[in-house]
Amino acid sequence: MPPARRGYADTRHGQVHYREAGAGPPLLLLHATPKSSRAFDGLVPHLAGRWRVVAPDTLGFGSSDPLPPAVTMELLAESMADLVEALGLGPTAVFGIHTGNKVGAALAARWPGLVSAFVCCGMTHSIVVDRATRDGAIKDIVAKYFAGEAAASDGSHLLRGWGRTFETLSQTWWSPRVLDAAPLTQAALDEAAGEAIDRIAARNSFDAVYRANFGFDLADALRRIAAPTLILELVTPGEAHLGEQGQACAALMKNARAMALEGSDRDYLERDPERLARVIADFLADAPV
């Protein structure tokens, strides 16, 4: 398969960098925080034989322009609507994971004519129906990286943020996928290096995007989505205390069903892209789009 094509699209909130591969009906892939379109490198080859796959970097991530002030999920969705129109995609199937599922939900809720089908994917904490519970679950995960402090006149808050970036970067650089690999491969190192680059690129966006995440009413957006939707829950034992949420999300919607992938985790996209591609393909084949 030839390498993905790359380009930039002008949106009302800044330039968005994207990767594109394949031909056929359009499929938009929206990434998690603090990643970029690079996260879909393993998934795209399994989809590009049937779809025109477009994977953008959300504003503030990857090679896209910085976040605009007072960013919201609705604003990020607006930039994706501009991207869809700039590329002439027409009604587009959308897959969003973690932060991407919020952007995708906002896009499908506000611009129904642009979204033909939606796959809302994430670990349980990402799709908890009750907003306060979901925010609390996410905060438990990101608290050690999230600044949550006022600016100091001497810039010390910036130094602490710089330290938090290094901490997350170190965890990526020396991840279990590197340290525990048997055998270690160059591909594994390249993947870890790509994630490290994404974390550096996202260091000024992390806090603002999570504030936008906490401010987003996912349940309200799901209720307003008309497009056929698959709630794809990545279920891990570490989140059993939250209770599975996929069915509850689907029950809010006009045309949705839920599916749970047991034994998943936050690296599932990279760890088993072939299986994830089959789930997406099967849903899109059945969806009346």
Side-chain angles (χ1 to χ4, degrees):
M1 177 181 169
R5 304 175 294 275
R6 299 187 185 188
Y8 285 86
D10 291 327
T11 79
R12 71 195 79 182
H13 301 297
Q15 282 198 324
V16 169
H17 171 259
Y18 64 90
R19 303 166 189 237
E20 179 181 359
L27 171 59
L28 186 70
L29 306 179
L30 303 176
H31 63 80
T33 298
K35 300 187 178 184
S36 74
S37 58
R38 191 194 314 269
F40 297 115
D41 282 353
L43 183 67
V44 169
H46 299 292
L47 297 171
R50 297 174 60 182
W51 287 277
R52 177 186 176 187
V53 182
V54 177
D57 296 340
T58 305
L59 289 169
F61 297 85
S63 297
S64 288
D65 277 354
L67 288 174
V71 67
T72 62
M73 290 297 160
E74 290 82 0
L75 185 150
L76 294 176
E78 193 168 59
S79 70
M80 292 299 107
D82 289 348
L83 172 73
V84 169
E85 293 181 341
L87 297 183
L89 298 182
T92 302
V94 176
F95 170 88
I97 184 167
H98 292 144
T99 300
N101 69 38
K102 315 303 184 304
V103 178
L107 177 65
R110 184 173 173 186
W111 288 274
L114 294 183
V115 177
S116 60
F118 178 39
V119 181
C120 177
C121 179
M123 293 175 67
T124 300
H125 73 264
S126 179
I127 59 170
V128 175
V129 170
D130 179 74
R131 181 172 171 180
T133 303
R134 177 173 61 86
D135 286 354
I138 295 172
K139 284 177 181 176
D140 285 345
I141 294 170
V142 304
K144 62 181 177 179
Y145 310 126
F146 192 65
E149 59 181 307
S153 60
D154 63 356
S156 57
H157 65 292
L158 297 175
L159 185 60
R160 287 189 289 275
W162 190 250
R164 283 190 296 272
T165 298
F166 181 75
E167 180 182 357
T168 60
L169 190 60
S170 297
Q171 292 172 356
T172 300
W173 197 262
W174 299 114
S175 71
R177 280 180 288 169
V178 172
L179 295 177
D180 300 339
L184 179 62
T185 64
Q186 186 61 48
L189 291 178
D190 290 345
E191 183 179 321
E195 289 192 15
I197 291 168
D198 283 346
R199 285 186 178 274
I200 293 172
R203 66 184 183 84
N204 290 324
S205 304
F206 192 92
D207 289 9
V209 162
Y210 272 106
R211 282 194 292 270
N213 199 330
F214 300 144
F216 182 64
D217 191 335
L218 176 63
D220 178 68
L222 294 178
R223 290 187 186 97
R224 294 186 286 120
I225 294 174
T229 298
L230 173 65
I231 306 294
L232 186 57
E233 184 171 3
L234 305 181
V235 178
T236 180
E239 295 189 346
H241 63 287
L242 295 172
E244 292 189 17
Q245 296 290 314
Q247 294 291 350
C249 288
L252 298 174
M253 305 181 69
K254 304 176 180 70
N255 185 11
R257 60 185 176 88
M259 178 178 179
L261 292 181
E262 302 289 342
S264 306
D265 55 31
R266 66 185 62 257
D267 295 324
Y268 189 78
L269 170 62
E270 293 86 356
R271 183 163 50 81
D272 198 355
E274 186 173 4
R275 183 185 179 200
L276 188 56
R278 286 199 303 271
V279 172
I280 295 169
D282 289 347
F283 169 69
L284 294 181
D286 291 341
V289 298

